[in-house]
Amino acid sequence: MAWRWPEAATFPRTSPKMAFFGFDTTLPRDRDGSGPRGFFETPDPFAQVAQASALDDDAIDFEDTYDGLGDQLDDDQDEFNDDTFGGPGPESSGRDFDFFGKTAQVSDAIGEEQVRYSLQNPNAPRVAQPVAQPVQQPAPQVKRSGYEKYSEPGYIPDLQAKSSVWGVSQKKPEPTPTSRKMMSLEEVEAQMRHSSHAVPPAGDAFLRSMVEPQYHPQPQHLQAIPDGYPPVHPEFLQAQLRQGHLPQMAHPPPGMPELYGGPGIMPPGGPLHMAQNINAPPQNMPPPGPRPTGPQVQRPPQQPPQHQQLPPNRVSNNGMPVITDPQQLAHLTPEQRNAYLMEDAKRAKRNHKIFLLSRGNGLMTPQDKNFITRIQLQQLVAAAGSIADSDPEAVLAEDFYYQVCSQIRGAPRQHPHQPLGHFAQTYLLQTGNRLGGHRRGNFQSADNHMQRMQQQVQRAVEAAKAKPKNKQLIIEGSLGKIAFSNAKAPKPMLNIKRPDSADGPKPKKLQSNLSLSDRKSILTNVEHVYSALMAMEDMERTMPPPPEEGDAEAIQEHMEWRQKLHSLNQKLWRSLKVMEPIVPNSTTPHPFIAFLSYPKGKKAIPRIFRHIDQEQRVTILTMIVVHLDSLDVVRLAQPVPGEAQPSLGMREAIDLFSLAVMPCLLGYVNEAPFNIIIGLLGLVINQTHVQTVARTKVGLGILTMLLSRAEIVKEAGQASEHDWQQWVEKFNVLFDTLEPGLNDTFPGTISSGDDMYVWQFLAAVGIGASPEQQQRLVIAVKDRVMETVGYSKTLPADMGSQRLSNVNLFMRAIGLDVELLG
Amino acid sequence: MLFFSFFKTLTNQTVTIELKNDIRIRGTLKSVDQYLNIKLDDIEVLDLVKYPHLSSVKNMFIRGSVVRYVMLPRSEVDVGLLEDATRRGKLRIVFLI
């Protein structure tokens, strides 16, 4: 399994944190101590230098890092390596991995090319700068870090100049035998800061201190320099420094920073080189090398990151003196120098980041980008089902849940002309607007974003629409084709011929002899009701504006609309099956009662009531009253001896009925004429088992409803004498029937909770009762009253008073008060 | 489109997503597209001990096809409305009967 780098010499070497394919290429020794770091959290432009020198001084021991994976390889399966990697067989792979060296051989030529280019293009953006020293220009064609060339003597002046900033000689990788640990950037900095502090900032002495660092064992440094580069002697550096050679590179190419953020269009022939320049800003060399173990290394905790010297002419903020010559630094106070270095570090960090991001610059022309954008937009539009240009009803059909949900929750409408009060009516009432407004903001912003997006897309769509629509796109010269698909018309994976409906298996005929009460048909009924309901609701939304006088067309339109609405109403009514004949003593419940026994059916009632007229409402009410004792919430809610309350499921059903159905009925009863109330009471007495009904919450609720309405009618003086007589007759019958079982109307024992509805019922009875009946009433429930009063004293104050006030509801109705009981 | 429509209403809610490789991730749903690809923010991997490589991930984009379950806050689902939306999907069929 040998394979070669495929001409790897041109691969840009990235920071160790950020390598090909996102692998962490950090050397193992670099990882220790630095802790987990994100890719960009500490971009570390200098680590390469450290690495490079590490390579030179052989800091990596192959045996140390080799994980033995190679032993597991199966050498038998190498036949196709050539095919895969396109190279010659393993036997011909050379040992020449020194790509940098190879590149270095032609670096002069590269430099010359650059000179030539800059001469040809005098206006070229400052690329010419490096020309000043074309030979010295690092052409780090990156196999290692690209910094190796700094060992070359030609670079020394530059390094010197910069190193004066820190007071440390630069490129002295000093393999201290005692410690091979590589320094992290912070450590390097700390060291530099430390030594620069230690040195009095005074001219020559200062400079000397930089060139002759206190702790560098020179000879070792010399070893570290790769072959082919003459060793550098510190005296040489110093001499050059004195000759004033150095500062010329103190002005680094000022054009470089502009290049970073540039539009991505680089002058031809330049990009690679320039990018590498950025990668290896020559003036930004920190001293690499192992960390000396000497006592002078007192690493301050977390120094600010790297400090680098950047184009000095750009350093003038923060009231800092403009530094054009590194020697100026020597005359600054330590504080100023520190600030200056920090400033530089920040900039270097940023530049490095920009560099990392800018590597792809110029790969695509603006035309390319436009092309891609167009394809993306087309896809987007196709996928979104061209929401932008369809009518609101279509949007609603496609995206019903989201549209309605966001409207209910207060998002701005996407189509202002769409009347949405209906949705709010339908679904808000149902849910009781349990969703507070706190999320409103989120939705708004999300929605605004979508809107902006849509507007953008809309414009693109206009353009796209002008073109004929293709199902696929074949780009000239390409081998593949792009098939357009979207969520509604996905790309078919299988192509199965569907049998024509004529000769295919027909759907099973609905069996007409299904009994009306089996579960399946009941549920089907419920769904029919819902579909009719939704059709009506849609109809209501599309109501034409009320016609004006004389506008025949509008009147006609309105009439048609009314006609349709009416037919839908009939459809709804039929599917409710309220008018199915009542079969006495039937074992199967009436279809409408069966409908009501499902939660879906109960929930539908409020919506149904909005779409039916008074006559239909009273029919429903009558139906419910007639079948009161066969309603699930009455029939199955009978108290079971030994159990305080009905089962959980039944309690939920009762609650749902009380929340959904009762208000509708109450709403009608409160406006119903007196004779209907009388009729309903008569039905309860004659058609149902009153004792059974009275033992349930729903049953008592309906009775209370009727009794209190009668009382209100009487109070208002709307009842005729004849009607009242009738009422009293019926009431007496009811009272006589109920009296023996009055104590059974209370749910469970006194401690078992809510009995308020019973007291309400008793109050309703008490108000309408004659004085004699009131006395009988008191006698019947006297025990319960006394118990409750006694029990309430044992309860916490608020609960106790709650129970007392429940009792008082009844007591006051018959002219008494619990206070009187002492 | 129903699921797309539905998930859109859950943006900015905290959801837990179980992938087909058993990783469970809780995070804020930032967006969803018609392929039910999901963008999550402020994520938290439920069984982090098993997937330590995810410990530093802060947000992610999940391809819709690798999602097994999305666990959502019950209070954010309008059941009645969802039922109706479902009915709408097959409204035409119901009408035919």
Side-chain angles (χ1 to χ4, degrees):
Chain A
M1 273 309 270
W3 63 282
R4 298 196 317 166
W5 280 85
E7 298 307 309
T10 50
F11 279 10
R13 177 72 179 222
T14 59
S15 130
K17 299 295 178 200
M18 180 52 203
F20 298 143
F21 316 125
F23 290 133
D24 186 354
T25 56
T26 326
L27 293 171
R29 51 146 202 277
D30 287 336
R31 285 189 200 123
D32 52 0
S34 57
R37 282 194 274 186
F39 278 165
F40 290 105
E41 276 167 42
T42 51
D44 186 354
F46 305 125
Q48 296 174 356
V49 181
Q51 239 178 310
S53 47
L55 283 175
D56 292 337
D57 65 21
D58 206 20
I60 299 183
D61 191 335
F62 176 73
E63 290 304 322
D64 290 345
T65 56
Y66 183 54
D67 55 7
L69 274 180
D71 299 333
Q72 303 167 20
L73 292 177
D74 186 353
D75 283 338
D76 296 336
Q77 298 175 352
D78 284 355
E79 294 100 302
F80 298 111
N81 277 5
D82 284 2
D83 295 351
T84 309
F85 297 106
E91 65 282 345
S92 64
S93 75
R95 302 172 135 249
D96 177 11
F97 293 104
D98 186 6
F99 303 105
F100 170 71
K102 290 239 163 179
T103 312
Q105 285 167 17
V106 297
S107 66
D108 286 358
I110 295 174
E112 281 159 17
E113 274 305 302
Q114 213 171 17
V115 181
R116 199 177 60 81
Y117 172 75
S118 56
L119 288 175
Q120 281 172 351
N121 305 275
N123 296 333
R126 308 292 197 127
V127 200
Q129 277 295 343
V131 171
Q133 309 184 352
V135 191
Q136 295 170 350
Q137 185 60 36
Q141 303 303 72
V142 190
K143 188 285 187 168
R144 293 162 188 167
S145 70
Y147 286 96
E148 286 93 338
K149 264 206 140 189
Y150 284 95
S151 332
E152 208 177 328
Y155 287 92
I156 292 160
D158 175 35
L159 300 175
Q160 281 310 116
K162 291 311 163 189
S163 72
S164 66
V165 171
W166 301 310
V168 172
S169 175
Q170 293 281 6
K171 40 150 217 79
K172 313 268 200 242
E174 353 123 50
T176 321
T178 48
S179 153
R180 301 196 119 187
K181 188 172 180 292
M182 303 302 296
M183 283 197 290
S184 77
L185 188 61
E186 288 85 351
E187 285 166 322
V188 173
E189 271 185 288
Q191 204 175 66
M192 292 187 305
R193 181 102 18 105
H194 187 82
S195 52
S196 73
H197 277 303
V199 174
D204 200 30
F206 181 50
L207 286 173
R208 277 181 78 85
S209 74
M210 307 163 203
V211 185
E212 296 172 345
Q214 302 88 333
Y215 48 83
H216 289 173
Q218 272 318 317
Q220 281 163 358
H221 153 63
L222 295 181
Q223 284 171 2
I225 295 178
D227 295 336
Y229 299 113
V232 184
H233 216 265
E235 279 79 4
F236 172 56
L237 309 180
Q238 222 172 343
Q240 286 218 316
L241 181 72
R242 296 231 174 82
Q243 286 159 16
H245 249 235
L246 313 178
Q248 47 186 331
M249 262 309 264
H251 304 279
M256 273 171 53
E258 281 88 346
L259 292 176
Y260 303 158
I265 301 168
M266 292 184 169
L272 180 62
H273 201 92
M274 276 177 355
Q276 280 155 354
N277 279 351
I278 298 161
N279 192 15
Q283 70 277 21
N284 294 341
M285 282 278 298
R291 173 185 180 175
T293 47
Q296 83 269 33
V297 185
Q298 291 160 355
R299 186 178 166 203
Q302 285 307 311
Q303 287 282 351
Q306 55 270 62
H307 45 261
Q308 278 176 300
Q309 185 157 349
L310 265 215
N313 49 357
R314 308 191 78 201
V315 185
S316 58
N317 35 1
N318 300 344
M320 292 288 298
V322 177
I323 304 220
T324 52
D325 188 307
Q327 300 201 17
Q328 272 180 288
L329 264 186
H331 304 292
L332 296 177
T333 65
E335 290 78 27
Q336 275 176 316
R337 195 164 52 242
N338 258 355
Y340 176 72
L341 294 179
M342 300 252 288
E343 194 69 18
D344 259 359
K346 265 188 222 155
R347 223 190 329 276
K349 204 168 165 183
R350 185 172 148 270
N351 284 348
H352 180 72
K353 225 175 201 171
I354 293 174
F355 160 69
L356 287 179
L357 296 174
S358 69
R359 271 176 306 155
N361 281 0
L363 271 182
M364 291 169 76
T365 66
Q367 284 82 2
D368 290 341
K369 291 178 193 164
N370 275 343
F371 183 67
I372 301 286
T373 313
R374 270 211 309 279
I375 291 183
Q376 285 176 331
L377 278 177
Q378 252 171 353
Q379 290 276 26
L380 191 65
V381 169
S386 56
I387 277 178
D389 57 346
S390 59
D391 65 312
E393 283 302 309
V395 175
L396 206 56
E398 275 301 322
D399 203 11
F400 181 78
Y401 184 81
Y402 174 75
Q403 296 291 331
V404 179
C405 209
S406 43
Q407 280 149 19
I408 291 176
R409 294 177 185 186
R413 294 173 196 179
Q414 291 187 355
H415 301 280
H417 51 277
Q418 193 175 338
L420 286 159
H422 299 286
F423 285 128
Q425 266 184 22
T426 304
Y427 295 104
L428 267 190
L429 294 177
Q430 193 172 320
T431 57
N433 196 12
R434 58 193 148 80
L435 307 155
H438 63 281
R439 268 180 303 92
R440 190 168 283 216
N442 290 342
F443 265 97
Q444 224 146 15
S445 65
D447 232 70
N448 279 341
H449 180 70
M450 280 304 286
Q451 262 176 331
R452 251 181 292 129
M453 187 78 175
Q454 276 187 9
Q455 283 167 3
Q456 251 178 18
V457 169
Q458 203 161 10
R459 260 176 271 134
V461 177
E462 298 302 327
K465 261 204 247 167
K467 293 183 181 174
K469 275 178 192 168
N470 280 332
K471 287 235 168 135
Q472 59 188 29
L473 172 73
I474 303 173
I475 299 166
E476 206 178 336
S478 71
L479 295 176
K481 54 191 177 185
I482 302 171
F484 295 124
S485 63
N486 60 43
K488 270 178 282 176
K491 195 162 57 178
M493 290 292 175
L494 295 172
N495 213 343
I496 297 171
K497 211 174 178 186
R498 207 174 282 176
D500 288 337
S501 54
D503 41 63
K506 287 195 175 169
K508 271 188 199 167
K509 267 191 180 173
L510 275 181
Q511 287 171 304
S512 48
N513 58 350
L514 269 181
S515 79
L516 281 170
S517 57
D518 74 301
R519 182 184 152 81
K520 197 174 167 188
S521 56
I522 294 169
L523 286 175
T524 315
N525 279 345
V526 175
E527 286 308 316
H528 284 296
V529 170
Y530 268 104
S531 54
L533 253 182
M534 284 193 295
M536 287 194 82
E537 283 160 4
D538 282 347
M539 205 63 197
E540 214 171 42
R541 255 184 306 129
T542 57
M543 181 174 79
E548 287 172 26
E549 225 23 70
D551 187 350
E553 201 175 310
I555 292 175
Q556 177 68 20
E557 197 185 349
H558 205 75
M559 291 301 289
E560 278 173 17
W561 180 80
R562 285 185 160 280
Q563 190 63 37
K564 278 187 206 155
L565 198 63
H566 180 72
S567 69
L568 280 177
N569 175 291
Q570 288 307 306
K571 185 174 146 54
L572 173 66
W573 192 241
R574 277 196 309 274
S575 43
L576 269 177
K577 299 191 190 293
V578 178
M579 301 307 279
E580 293 282 321
I582 301 169
V583 185
N585 303 322
S586 161
T587 51
T588 58
H590 185 272
F592 180 67
I593 300 303
F595 170 88
L596 273 184
S597 69
Y598 285 91
K600 288 203 264 191
K602 295 187 182 81
K603 280 185 212 159
I605 295 292
R607 287 168 75 178
I608 293 168
F609 262 59
R610 262 208 310 285
H611 295 288
I612 55 179
D613 55 35
Q614 287 291 55
E615 198 178 324
Q616 287 166 326
R617 285 177 195 162
V618 73
T619 314
I620 288 184
L621 176 59
T622 310
M623 213 59 186
I624 290 177
V625 167
V626 167
H627 291 98
L628 206 50
D629 50 1
S630 51
L631 276 181
D632 64 328
V633 285
V634 171
R635 183 166 45 93
L636 304 174
Q638 295 296 319
V640 181
E643 282 188 39
Q645 45 188 355
S647 68
L648 178 69
M650 186 39 63
R651 267 178 296 163
E652 275 174 7
I654 293 171
D655 285 346
L656 184 57
F657 192 91
S658 311
L659 279 174
V661 184
M662 291 296 268
C664 299
L665 303 182
L666 188 63
Y668 174 77
V669 166
N670 279 345
E671 294 166 9
F674 193 37
N675 56 348
I676 286 185
I677 304 295
I678 298 169
L680 288 174
L681 187 63
L683 282 175
V684 174
I685 294 166
N686 297 327
Q687 301 283 329
T688 70
H689 194 265
V690 178
Q691 296 272 11
T692 312
V693 170
R695 278 204 290 268
T696 62
K697 188 176 177 180
V698 170
L700 274 190
I702 288 186
L703 286 176
T704 311
M705 202 191 291
L706 297 176
L707 296 177
S708 49
R709 170 65 185 162
E711 190 55 35
I712 289 167
V713 170
K714 191 186 102 180
E715 293 292 322
Q718 292 165 342
S720 70
E721 191 58 31
H722 174 70
D723 284 346
W724 189 247
Q725 281 303 323
Q726 269 193 316
W727 171 257
V728 171
E729 264 175 47
K730 300 251 192 293
F731 180 84
N732 289 341
V733 176
L734 179 72
F735 189 89
D736 293 341
T737 324
L738 278 177
E739 194 189 356
L742 269 183
N743 255 326
D744 294 337
T745 58
F746 290 99
T749 62
I750 191 149
S751 56
S752 65
D754 180 31
D755 57 359
M756 183 170 90
Y757 66 92
V758 183
W759 294 114
Q760 280 175 339
F761 168 73
L762 289 176
V765 173
I767 284 184
S770 65
E772 179 251 341
Q773 283 168 330
Q774 284 181 353
Q775 268 188 1
R776 286 157 62 190
L777 205 56
V778 170
I779 292 166
V781 297
K782 182 184 65 189
D783 292 347
R784 181 78 180 194
V785 171
M786 299 309 289
E787 274 178 57
T788 307
V789 171
Y791 181 68
S792 66
K793 284 174 186 159
T794 69
L795 287 173
D798 51 339
M799 284 171 73
S801 66
Q802 174 67 35
R803 299 293 288 263
L804 274 187
S805 71
N806 287 344
V807 178
N808 233 358
L809 215 59
F810 162 67
M811 298 291 275
R812 294 227 173 100
I814 55 174
L816 298 172
D817 199 288
V818 277
E819 301 293 324
L820 302 175
L821 299 172
Chain B
M1 291 296 274
L2 174 62
F3 284 97
F4 176 37
S5 189
F6 173 66
F7 281 120
K8 271 200 287 182
T9 64
L10 293 175
T11 45
N12 292 317
Q13 302 300 327
T14 302
V15 297
T16 306
I17 291 182
E18 183 174 322
L19 305 184
K20 287 177 181 169
N21 61 4
D22 293 337
I23 299 181
R24 284 179 300 156
I25 303 145
R26 185 185 301 135
T28 310
L29 181 69
K30 290 320 279 184
S31 75
V32 66
D33 66 10
Q34 71 268 23
Y35 304 106
L36 304 185
N37 298 330
I38 287 170
K39 231 167 93 181
L40 282 188
D41 229 349
D42 299 326
I43 65 145
E44 167 194 356
V45 176
L46 293 191
D47 201 355
L48 198 55
V49 186
K50 269 170 84 180
Y51 314 102
H53 58 288
L54 292 176
S55 53
S56 66
V57 182
K58 288 279 163 282
N59 50 45
M60 51 169 70
F61 177 88
I62 301 174
R63 187 183 155 97
S65 64
V66 301
V67 174
R68 183 185 290 146
Y69 297 123
V70 179
M71 281 153 264
L72 18 114
R74 196 193 175 110
S75 61
E76 293 304 324
V77 184
D78 191 328
V79 179
L81 183 57
L82 189 57
E83 282 173 356
D84 265 16
T86 318
R87 288 184 183 110
R88 263 168 202 275
K90 45 181 288 188
L91 200 57
R92 281 156 216 112
I93 304 165
V94 174
F95 268 140
L96 290 180
I97 297 172

